[in-house]
Amino acid sequence: STRTRYATRFMLELALSDGSQPVLLKDISASQNISAGYLEQIVPALKSANLVISSRGYRGGYSLARKANEITLKDIIEAVEGPIALVDCISIYDKKGFGLCSRSGLCAAEEIWSEINEKIINVLALKTLDSLAEKQSKKDKAQIQSYII
């Protein structure tokens, strides 16, 4: 979703900063070409998930709450979207553990969706913000070199 993409870009911008001081929301907005208003809607979810911290005042702004290598893409997505589910029928269960879909437990596709969903979650849990920042830095350097040539 757009929320996921923008939250990831917001977090990536924080990871790419040197960490010496908080980053202003307006600077992230300008750098990532995302509306500041939209970011203001996303940040509370990231704060609630203890992914970012904010500070007020002259040197105020946002910083990562943990090291970038301790924050996964799964953490970011779950913070802004809730539990990750490829399809609704595998994400919503009643008190007995059965899906609320009328075909829950009877549908062969439900097993496939669950298997795919588990693999997606596992991949997202392995991808850290640090590794994403490293990839972005390489892309930025390659782009700068292409301008020089």
Side-chain angles (χ1 to χ4, degrees):
S1 72
T2 300
R3 281 179 65 85
T4 292
R5 290 192 326 270
Y6 287 2
T8 302
R9 288 167 49 192
F10 177 87
M11 295 294 290
L12 177 60
E13 194 74 23
L14 295 179
L16 290 169
S17 73
D18 66 9
S20 63
Q21 65 184 34
V23 182
L24 296 173
L25 186 90
K26 68 178 183 121
D27 292 342
I28 296 172
S29 171
S31 174
Q32 292 293 324
N33 196 26
I34 301 171
S35 147
Y38 202 108
L39 288 177
E40 287 171 351
Q41 294 174 28
I42 294 171
V43 169
L46 297 170
K47 285 175 64 176
S48 292
N50 296 315
L51 298 177
V52 297
I53 53 176
S54 62
S55 52
R56 296 178 183 256
Y58 173 68
R59 295 189 182 247
Y62 294 94
S63 304
L64 295 177
R66 303 191 304 253
K67 293 178 182 174
N69 66 354
E70 297 173 354
I71 298 172
T72 66
L73 291 180
K74 178 181 178 281
D75 295 332
I76 297 168
I77 294 169
E78 288 181 337
V80 297
E81 301 287 352
I84 297 167
L86 183 62
V87 291
D88 289 340
C89 66
I90 61 171
S91 66
I92 304 170
Y93 291 92
D94 66 13
K95 292 178 183 176
K96 296 178 185 174
F98 296 103
L100 295 179
C101 172
S102 64
R103 305 233 350 112
S104 179
L106 304 172
C107 177
E110 179 182 23
E111 293 175 19
I112 294 168
W113 302 142
S114 292
E115 182 181 344
I116 294 169
N117 200 73
E118 185 177 328
K119 291 184 186 311
I120 291 170
I121 290 170
N122 290 339
V123 168
L124 293 171
L126 291 173
K127 302 298 179 185
T128 64
L129 190 55
D130 187 48
S131 66
L132 189 63
E134 189 176 310
K135 287 179 189 232
Q136 186 63 55
S137 292
K138 288 179 182 176
K139 287 183 177 287
D140 291 347
K141 286 177 187 174
Q143 186 176 13
I144 289 169
Q145 288 176 346
S146 71
Y147 286 132
I148 295 171
I149 297 175

